[in-house]
Amino acid sequence: MDITAFDSLMDELAKYLGLSGISKTADNQCLLEIGKISVGFRFLSASGNIMIFSVIGKLPDSGRESFYKMLLEANHALFKTAGATLSVYTPLDMVALQYLCNAQTTDAQRFITIVENFAAAAEYWQERCLQGEISTDQSEKSDDLSEQSFLLSV
């Protein structure tokens, strides 16, 4: 698929963020610091999709079964992830947040909203990983969603 739509969306995002431009690598990737997190963007030419991604933390050394269960629960109906998906990459023991959108069918304003929501969700999960708040102890699990300001933002 043509990369023109991806370039246009990234240009609009750069304007919104007050950047003069966004540099891409040879494989159509770029990395931006948004708030407190690094957010990557990659154009997938075979599908015309843009993958938005962020590494949010490391897998725990122990208690992985409970940790994986927590990640799956967070992904339930994409409710606690702003429509993105939490995933693991075991060769590097990392947890990532990923989102796909189509470059051709996503307009600039919607793309900016997607990126804002994604960045808020990634920051939410990254803070919990960095502060050790993602616990494998089910007694510490909270169902209070009021602090998740990224939910249902459109």
Side-chain angles (χ1 to χ4, degrees):
M1 295 245 167
D2 184 23
I3 196 166
T4 306
F6 172 69
D7 289 339
S8 177
L9 290 172
M10 295 308 294
D11 288 344
E12 290 299 318
L13 180 62
K15 287 180 201 171
Y16 177 78
L17 295 173
L19 304 172
S20 59
I22 298 174
S23 300
K24 288 187 312 198
T25 62
D27 63 348
N28 300 318
Q29 284 194 105
C30 49
L31 188 64
L32 298 175
E33 294 297 318
I34 301 176
K36 298 176 184 177
I37 61 160
S38 295
V39 178
F41 301 85
R42 182 173 189 182
F43 181 68
L44 306 172
S45 58
S47 63
N49 287 327
I50 301 169
M51 176 181 281
I52 305 169
F53 57 93
S54 182
V55 174
I56 60 166
K58 298 286 280 175
L59 289 173
D61 292 329
S62 62
R64 287 191 177 184
E65 184 176 336
S66 296
F67 186 79
Y68 293 150
K69 182 180 177 186
M70 184 273 314
L71 292 178
L72 287 171
E73 287 175 353
N75 281 328
H76 177 70
L78 306 176
F79 185 62
K80 295 180 181 181
T81 60
T85 302
L86 287 162
S87 63
V88 298
Y89 185 64
T90 53
L92 297 178
D93 284 343
M94 69 175 201
V95 180
L97 188 67
Q98 301 167 321
Y99 187 92
L100 284 179
C101 64
N102 187 276
Q104 298 291 331
T105 60
T106 304
D107 65 39
Q109 186 54 53
R110 178 70 185 130
F111 184 66
I112 289 167
T113 301
I114 288 168
V115 172
E116 287 178 324
N117 291 344
F118 179 89
E123 188 172 327
Y124 173 86
W125 288 103
Q126 186 180 58
E127 286 175 6
R128 271 128 198 91
C129 283
L130 292 174
Q131 296 171 1
E133 290 183 20
I134 293 182
S135 174
T136 56
D137 179 357
Q138 294 299 309
S139 66
E140 294 180 28
K141 187 172 125 184
S142 170
D143 290 325
D144 179 16
L145 301 177
S146 62
E147 65 185 276
Q148 298 178 358
S149 61
F150 55 86
L151 293 174
L152 305 177
S153 297
V154 288

